[in-house]
Structure formats: structure tokens, C-alpha cells
Amino acid sequence: MSPQPDASSALWQGHKPGDGAIYAAECPLISGKGLPGGNAQWFQNPPPGFGGAVNVQALAQQAVSKMGLLGPAIGIAPPPGSKGVVGLPVWLWDNVSATTWGPNSASASAGAVTVTATGSVTQIVWDMGDGQSVTCTGPGEAYQASFGSAQPPCGHTYTQTSAAMPDGQYAINATATWVVNWQATTGQTGQITVTRQSASSVVIGELRDLNN
């Protein structure tokens, strides 16, 4: 409505001017001029039919932002502060949670439209700091002493020590790819892909150096 009703009007339903707005419905004519006379109503956001329908893709992005998606909660063996060995595998894994692996869901609404989004990680790409990368489609497995020198489901074997690297260690960067599927109450659907990163490091020495 233009102008908007006075702040004392019951149409505001307890809200104040500037908090949403009052909209009046019209009955369109063939001429396109329209007939006034529809009921006036307060809306927090512009209703469908006023300046276009609700932007469901924007609502989907809002839902994604509510999820608090993170990069991997990195688990690594040998752990930071200890030393690995050239030729023996380094175990890599994500300490799985709703925000580091999924599934994770959230919703966002505008007017009568609600978008619900659900996402999970589809892969983690581990940049190992030696020019090599490892792509794992699962979260990996936490190392147990009973595993000995077994090959990990997600891991990497270094062929050189980290002595020549900055701070004497390999910098590890893990990039998780989240795929989020969303559906609106309007029947519309879509998919959003986002990435999140985390970092760690590992020291790699030679076998003869382990007792030094």
C-alpha cells in the first residue's frame, strides 16, 4: 500500500512501520489496471505476486548457511608432534560429525514458502604437501595400534623426509566437497555444491633417525 497505514492501524498486527509492510490485493482486469478491494494484510517479506515470486534459490543458500558446514576434523597418524617414517603409510581420516561429514539439514522460509536442504560430504581431497594429493570418497578410519603397518583406507606414503620443508614438516590441506540437495514447498528442487577446508601437518623422517 502506498502510503503505508499509520503506525496506529490494526493492520500492522502489533508490528511497526519498517518491520515488513502492508500489502493490498487487487483483482486484475483484462486491461491490466486492476480493481482495488482485496484484503490488506501485513507480510514480513513481499508475498508471491508482488515484484515476482519468492526467490527459492536465495532461500536455499540461507538454509546452507544455517548448517554451519565445516572442513574435515582431521585425524592423522602419526599425530602432530610425533614423527612418521619414509616408506610407511600416513593414515588420514575425518572425525565424523554432522558439520564435518553429514548428513546435515536446515530450512529457511519467506512468506508461505519454505526450503529444506540436506547435505553430505561426497569426497575429501588431501593435499599432502609433497606435490601429491589423495582423493577419498569415505571419511577414512582412525588408526589403531593393532593395525600395525597395514594400508589405510585413506592415506599416503611419503618417499622423502620433510627436512627440507618449511619448519621441517609437510603442510597438509584437506578440502571437503559438500553436495546439498534442496526442495521447496512450491515443488522446486535443486542442488548446491560447496567446499570447506582444514589444515594439519606431519613430520617425516628416515628409519635411522627414529632413535635420535
Side-chain angles (χ1 to χ4, degrees), residues 171-185:
I172 298 175
N173 290 287
T175 302
T177 298
W178 286 85
V179 174
V180 181
N181 294 294
W182 58 265
Q183 182 168 9
T185 50

Side-chain angles (χ1 to χ4, degrees), residues 74 76 92 126-129 158 170-174 198-202:
I74 295 177
I76 185 171
L92 305 165
W126 301 83
D127 181 345
M128 302 307 298
Y158 288 96
Y170 287 112
I172 298 175
N173 290 287
S198 301
S200 187
S201 61
V202 64

Side-chain angles (χ1 to χ4, degrees), residues 1-12 16-18 21-23 40-41:
M1 296 180 68
S2 181
Q4 288 283 286
D6 184 83
S8 62
S9 172
L11 291 173
W12 286 103
K16 298 179 180 180
I22 308 300
Y23 295 84
Q41 185 177 349

Side-chain angles (χ1 to χ4, degrees), residues 91-120:
W91 287 60
L92 305 165
W93 67 91
D94 171 48
N95 291 295
V96 173
S97 70
T99 54
T100 68
W101 186 263
N104 192 319
S105 297
S107 298
S109 299
V113 179
T114 297
V115 172
T116 300
T118 301
S120 296

Side-chain angles (χ1 to χ4, degrees), residues 10-197:
L11 291 173
W12 286 103
Q13 301 177 18
H15 300 276
K16 298 179 180 180
D19 178 11
I22 308 300
Y23 295 84
E26 291 186 349
C27 177
L29 294 177
I30 294 176
S31 65
K33 294 181 179 178
L35 279 175
N39 293 328
Q41 185 177 349
W42 175 87
F43 287 90
Q44 179 69 63
N45 300 292
F50 181 88
V54 172
N55 187 335
V56 293
Q57 292 184 338
L59 285 181
Q61 292 287 356
Q62 290 181 28
V64 171
S65 67
K66 289 182 177 181
M67 291 181 183
L69 305 182
L70 302 174
I74 295 177
I76 185 171
S82 61
K83 181 183 289 187
V85 180
V86 168
L88 292 181
V90 172
W91 287 60
L92 305 165
W93 67 91
D94 171 48
N95 291 295
V96 173
S97 70
T99 54
T100 68
W101 186 263
N104 192 319
S105 297
S107 298
S109 299
V113 179
T114 297
V115 172
T116 300
T118 301
S120 296
V121 173
T122 58
Q123 67 174 28
I124 300 175
V125 177
W126 301 83
D127 181 345
M128 302 307 298
D130 62 347
Q132 303 294 316
S133 65
V134 179
T135 299
C136 298
T137 56
E141 184 176 2
Y143 179 77
Q144 305 291 330
S146 60
F147 295 164
S149 58
Q151 292 296 316
C154 182
H156 177 65
T157 300
Y158 288 96
T159 60
Q160 294 182 334
T161 74
S162 58
M165 304 304 295
D167 299 322
Q169 57 190 3
Y170 287 112
I172 298 175
N173 290 287
T175 302
T177 298
W178 286 85
V179 174
V180 181
N181 294 294
W182 58 265
Q183 182 168 9
T185 50
T186 59
Q188 294 166 278
T189 62
Q191 188 176 87
I192 297 172
T193 300
V194 298
T195 58
R196 298 289 187 269
Q197 292 186 329

